[in-house]
């Protein structure tokens, strides 16, 4: 069974803290994604990675960085958390290839920055 | 730039009835995928149905079917015999088939409420 897990369901941090959100998939997928979900805005891509150590910026990369040292793990880093980064963060993964690009999602991390 | 629009922020339907969720998109490409994803409350987002733009036949998955109108750039989702478990946020998404960018373009979502 396909599985994407995220390190925390709920997280509360203070302004200025460094925040790590981790995502692990067990499907040997090449592609991994970090999204931010806000009401009325749908999902917005922050970063995605198509291979180990490879990354590409999405629509809203400012204030975020990512790390992919192993194929199964993709981390999102908030270098200095701010209140406007309070949101739901979703991780997803998919196989590389045009016909097999269904994205599988983790349960999400609801981050509150005080 | 491609965009996806879901004009209904919220819909409600009586259990066992049929409901249609609307989605329109804008693209200059001719080869692409369209998706409907479902996000139940406090649960993971899952794929409901997908459609390849080159296929004229509308995709169907059990009680879920789409009405794909390529010329009108419309991609609606029909849910037949609605069940309480269908209550969720539904997102429409688009992906260009060519190139190496795997990015999905997402609509804002429609919240579906099922009345018992």
């Amino acid at each position: 069974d396909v599985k994407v897990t995220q390190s925390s369901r709920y997280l509360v941090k203070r302004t200025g803290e460094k925040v790590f959100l981790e995502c692990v998939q067990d499907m040997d997928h090449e592609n991994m994604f970090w999204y931010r979900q806000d009401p009325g805005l749908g999902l917005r891509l922050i970063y995605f990675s198509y291979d180990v150590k490879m990354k590409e910026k999405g629509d809203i990369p400012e204030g975020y960085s990512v790390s992919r040292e192993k194929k199964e793990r993709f981390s999102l880093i908030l270098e200095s958390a701010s209140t406007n980064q309070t949101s739901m963060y979703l991780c997803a993964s998919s196989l590389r290839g045009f016909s097999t690009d269904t994205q599988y999602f983790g349960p999400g991390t609801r981050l509150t920055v005080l | 730039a491609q965009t996806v629009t879901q004009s209904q922020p919220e819909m409600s339907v009586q259990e066992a009835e049929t409901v249609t969720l609307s989605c329109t998109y804008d693209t200059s490409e001719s080869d692409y995928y369209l998706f409907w994803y479902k996000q139940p409350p406090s649960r993971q987002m899952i794929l409901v149905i997908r459609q390849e733009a080159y296929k004229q036949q509308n995709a169907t998955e059990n009680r879920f079917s789409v009405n794909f109108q390529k010329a009108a750039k419309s991609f609606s989702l029909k849910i037949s015999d609605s069940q309480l478990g269908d209550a969720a946020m539904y997102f429409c998404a688009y992906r260009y088939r060519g190139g190496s960018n795997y990015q999905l373009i997402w609509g804002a979502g429609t919240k579906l409420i099922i009345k018992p």
Side-chain angles (χ1 to χ4, degrees):
Chain A
D1 196 18
V2 162
K3 199 161 186 183
V4 180
T5 56
Q6 294 183 228
S7 50
S8 305
R9 288 301 300 269
Y10 300 93
L11 208 52
V12 179
K13 295 292 182 180
R14 297 217 174 265
T15 300
E17 280 193 79
K18 191 168 186 176
V19 181
F20 292 88
L21 303 182
E22 292 214 317
C23 175
V24 178
Q25 50 95 2
D26 65 359
M27 297 163 285
D28 202 34
H29 284 172
E30 292 88 356
N31 301 324
M32 295 188 76
F33 307 82
W34 274 108
Y35 291 98
R36 175 175 168 157
Q37 182 181 9
D38 298 290
L41 295 178
L43 277 69
R44 293 179 291 167
L45 183 66
I46 303 172
Y47 270 98
F48 98 92
S49 169
Y50 53 90
D51 205 345
V52 174
K53 297 191 187 294
M54 307 304 290
K55 61 185 179 185
E56 282 196 21
K57 292 180 181 179
D59 296 320
I60 52 165
E62 295 78 17
Y64 304 94
S65 62
V66 290
S67 173
R68 190 157 179 211
E69 296 297 319
K70 293 185 178 181
K71 189 176 186 180
E72 67 271 18
R73 189 179 298 267
F74 191 35
S75 301
L76 180 69
I77 303 151
L78 287 66
E79 295 290 341
S80 177
S82 63
T83 55
N84 62 12
Q85 292 178 309
T86 292
S87 188
M88 171 71 86
Y89 290 87
L90 298 179
C91 175
S93 71
S94 71
L95 274 170
R96 184 179 298 162
F98 299 131
S99 62
T100 54
D101 62 350
T102 298
Q103 291 191 12
Y104 296 88
F105 284 82
T109 295
R110 186 165 293 283
L111 173 67
T112 301
V113 182
L114 302 176
Chain B
Q2 296 95 347
T3 58
V4 176
T5 302
Q6 293 179 251
S7 58
Q8 306 149 317
E10 188 174 293
M11 293 277 288
S12 64
V13 64
Q14 208 70 36
E15 192 177 4
E17 292 188 349
T18 295
V19 64
T20 298
L21 308 185
S22 301
C23 173
T24 58
Y25 58 95
D26 189 24
T27 183
S28 57
E29 305 294 344
S30 60
D31 197 7
Y32 49 86
Y33 297 115
L34 295 164
F35 306 84
W36 279 99
Y37 277 84
K38 168 185 177 181
Q39 186 181 38
S42 301
R43 294 181 61 188
Q44 280 160 263
M45 182 98 73
I46 56 171
L47 178 68
V48 175
I49 200 165
R50 59 181 274 161
Q51 174 83 40
E52 286 93 338
Y54 65 87
K55 289 187 178 178
Q56 298 209 350
Q57 187 172 7
N58 289 324
T60 301
E61 287 287 341
N62 300 313
R63 297 182 295 107
F64 298 86
S65 61
V66 297
N67 183 4
F68 173 47
Q69 302 287 329
K70 192 171 183 179
K73 296 179 183 174
S74 170
F75 183 61
S76 59
L77 175 69
K78 186 171 86 171
I79 306 173
S80 304
D81 185 25
S82 299
Q83 299 176 0
L84 294 177
D86 295 332
M89 284 292 293
Y90 285 82
F91 293 93
C92 178
Y94 160 99
R95 183 172 101 69
Y96 170 52
R97 193 168 183 233
S100 60
N101 188 335
Y102 297 92
Q103 183 172 347
L104 287 172
I105 309 299
W106 296 82
T110 296
K111 182 178 181 180
L112 179 63
I113 298 167
I114 310 294
K115 299 177 186 175

